Amino acid sequence: MIKMRKTVCLLIAAILMCGAVAVSCKGKKNVEIKPVKGVLENPIGSLKAPEIVEATINRHVLDSCYESILKDTVSNVSVWSLIRGVGDQSTEGFGLVVVNKGYATAFPDFRHGNNPSARYDSVSGDLWLTGGVMEGTGVLVERPCLLRFREKGNAYLAAAIDPYEMQQALCKELSYSVDGENITLYNGDKELVTVTNTIKDMGDFYDDVVWIGEQLTYDVSGENIYVHVVPGVNFVTGKVLHYDDMPTISALVTLNNGGGFTLSDVKVEN
């Protein structure tokens, strides 16, 4: 009798264990992995500066209207952003002058925004620039540009990455799943990070929870170029993206010889 009871107990335990495994496996199967959505609906394209920008640049004087964002004294290369027009008029974040060995090239329609950055590679002759093309509360979208110099010294635009094109490339790289208040981000089959939502006053998650496109920035300070993206969370209340709990994700950007670019080394920034 005791032996029979033990056998029955073992059988029940085995059934319960199988049931637990089945629930666990079922739970995993029920977690839907979805691609992130993009906020930007179209390419930013060419931008046009206000008339005061060209009028100020055409004075050919690098005075207090400008701010230096790069001075490479060894290579004799400098970059100047226009911060105000003559008469203290607003330039709306437009206007750039690049000086190479005394030869100045103006880019009036380059929008540098509030915090542009630049790096010159004296070996390759590449000059990388980033500027904010969209800025506002919770929004910072940059466009990286590659300038090169012709033989006589003037600069020209060799390549640029439109924010929309970068957004679409990142949408192919990033996906997510939702389990209760936990949001897990993926790059392909690789799990990047799981975060827990702490926002309680915006209602439930929207059907499409994770979006990108409002926060796209670049790091051009080193030998390689990296894009940084912060995904936002969408709720049923307000339809405004929230970033409080979300990480910064970076990816290595490599320009292709025939145009375009590729992304690799996708990871979460510490």
Side-chain angles (χ1 to χ4, degrees):
M1 191 70 170
I2 295 174
K3 195 170 186 180
M4 185 180 293
R5 285 178 181 172
K6 182 185 270 188
T7 302
V8 171
C9 289
L10 288 173
L11 182 60
I12 292 172
I15 291 172
L16 290 173
M17 186 176 293
C18 290
V21 171
V23 170
S24 175
C25 292
K26 185 178 180 182
K28 288 182 181 177
K29 289 180 181 177
N30 284 342
V31 174
E32 182 183 7
I33 297 178
K34 302 170 67 174
V36 301
K37 292 287 188 176
V39 175
L40 303 176
E41 297 180 352
N42 298 290
I44 298 297
S46 300
L47 300 174
K48 185 63 178 176
E51 292 181 2
I52 189 61
V53 172
E54 194 154 351
T56 304
I57 286 178
N58 284 342
R59 297 178 307 130
H60 304 294
V61 179
L62 292 174
D63 54 13
S64 60
C65 290
Y66 294 86
E67 182 176 61
S68 171
I69 61 174
L70 173 70
K71 277 187 180 180
D72 187 331
T73 55
V74 175
S75 302
N76 200 9
V77 172
S78 60
V79 180
W80 304 80
S81 60
L82 190 64
I83 56 175
R84 58 177 172 272
V86 288
D88 207 27
Q89 298 184 59
S90 172
T91 63
E92 300 177 20
F94 283 89
L96 198 78
V97 174
V98 177
V99 182
N100 175 40
K101 298 178 175 61
Y103 193 105
T105 308
F107 295 90
D109 294 328
F110 183 96
R111 193 177 195 285
H112 52 75
N114 293 321
N115 294 290
S117 60
R119 178 180 63 86
Y120 178 65
D121 187 331
S122 59
V123 176
S124 65
D126 291 345
L127 173 61
W128 279 99
L129 300 166
T130 65
V133 294
M134 294 173 60
E135 295 170 303
T137 303
V139 177
L140 177 55
V141 179
E142 294 183 334
R143 172 160 40 198
C145 296
L146 172 61
L147 302 185
R148 288 183 174 142
F149 298 103
R150 294 190 171 89
E151 188 175 345
K152 66 177 183 179
N154 58 319
Y156 67 95
L157 179 64
I161 301 177
D162 191 279
Y164 176 78
E165 300 301 330
M166 178 54 71
Q167 172 191 271
Q168 296 306 96
L170 286 166
C171 282
K172 295 178 181 178
E173 295 285 338
L174 301 175
S175 57
Y176 70 95
S177 65
V178 177
D179 184 7
E181 295 295 327
N182 295 325
I183 301 172
T184 301
L185 297 171
Y186 305 88
N187 171 225
D189 296 330
K190 175 186 173 185
E191 183 177 317
L192 294 174
V193 66
T194 297
V195 297
T196 302
N197 170 55
T198 61
I199 298 174
K200 304 301 182 183
D201 59 350
M202 298 301 293
D204 296 331
F205 291 131
Y206 187 65
D207 289 341
D208 294 311
V209 182
V210 182
W211 294 67
I212 63 171
E214 283 188 345
Q215 294 195 19
L216 281 175
T217 59
Y218 292 83
D219 181 3
V220 299
S221 61
E223 183 178 346
N224 296 314
I225 309 303
Y226 286 90
V227 60
H228 290 169
V229 56
V230 182
V233 178
N234 201 3
F235 297 87
V236 294
T237 302
K239 299 293 180 61
V240 176
L241 295 183
H242 292 260
Y243 299 91
D244 296 8
D245 305 305
M246 301 304 283
T248 298
I249 297 173
S250 70
L252 175 65
V253 182
T254 304
L255 293 181
N256 300 330
N257 291 331
F261 61 91
T262 57
L263 299 177
S264 59
D265 190 25
V266 180
K267 60 187 178 183
V268 175
E269 290 293 296
N270 295 325

